[in-house]
Amino acid sequence: MKLLALLLSSVGAYVFIGLFVSLLILGAVGGNSNNGGSFEGVSPINISPEVEQYRSKVEEECLKNGIPETVNLILAIMMQESGGRVPDVMQSSESQGLPPNAITDPHYSIEVGVKYFSIGYKYAKENAKQNVNETSLQGYNYGYGFIPWAINTHGGWSEANAAEFAFMKSGGRKRDNGQWKYGDQLYVSHVMRYLVANDGSENGGIKPLPGGHKTVEKAISEGSKFIGRSTYVFGGGRNQGDIARGHFDCSSFIHYAFSQAGLNLGPLSSVTTDTLINKGPRVNPSDIKRGDLVFFDTYKVNGHVGIYLGNGEFLNCQDTGGVRVASMQNSYWKGTYNGVIVRVTQ
């Protein structure tokens, strides 16, 4: 009765109205957060909805272990290990000396898996002369011992030393498929295939993106082919020789991706972030869509550019790792993102 009296009083009316307005505002903010490609159950990279559902837990554990930049890498590992279809989603049991699939809680599997990966990744990051991600990935499959061995003998992972390590550990015994009988010597390529941007089609069981724009999806698909086989070179990517070698900077990469989709963004020889910013109308951040160009204030205002994929991810050529899918929630990109968005195709 006291509650009813309060609601009927003038003070209660103000409280009720205030609460109602607050809920409306929260609803509007929540709605805007999904604009521009936050596709329910669909990942902007090539992983399944069953794996994408664990993104927030992976983000939490990566942050806890001091490796927030590896979220997509962990999700790709999960895709390779289980596809998100069994409780031990990261197949972490064996790292604890347990039988396979002994862990029955997906969140605990992620906690254990991310912690184990972080140990090798941090060591590789500090000591490897090449291929930090690849060295860490192969170590996740072979066991931590591979990482210092690969670094001490070869400076880091390579396809050849992954095979060499498997040969040593297998005692020269082979499987029917010709691989050495130890781990997965092709583990790196098996994981990396999931780090390409979802091209909007149903590919290998990955849920397709709804209503993908033909030009945008083609540009993303063509640009993603350089993930893992490209190098950032300032001023690179402006001739066919550079393109063949995968040498791009951020703006030449954008030009290349869209040119492959039939969209001309001006002369290749003179493309810069300053020219790309004038190739379409500015877009309000609340209206961002997949395929829009997102700009960042790096070495100068609007000094870096990428292609927005959805869910806060973008495809770009960056000075660490070349062509990559990156998160706008990464501390560096979050700090340099300036809200400038350009739509180059309608």
Side-chain angles (χ1 to χ4, degrees), residues 15 91 104 114 161 179 252 299:
V15 171
Q91 295 293 284
T104 57
V114 172
N161 67 39
Q179 288 190 26
S252 66
Y299 73 101

Side-chain angles (χ1 to χ4, degrees), residues 2-20:
K2 290 182 178 178
L3 177 61
L4 178 62
L6 175 62
L7 289 173
L8 292 174
S9 70
S10 59
V11 173
Y14 283 120
V15 171
F16 179 78
I17 291 170
L19 287 171
F20 181 72

Side-chain angles (χ1 to χ4, degrees), residues 115 140 173 190 205 215 244 312 315 319-320 344:
K115 185 175 182 179
Y140 189 83
R173 292 175 296 131
H190 288 158
T215 301
L315 181 67
D319 59 6
T320 52
V344 294

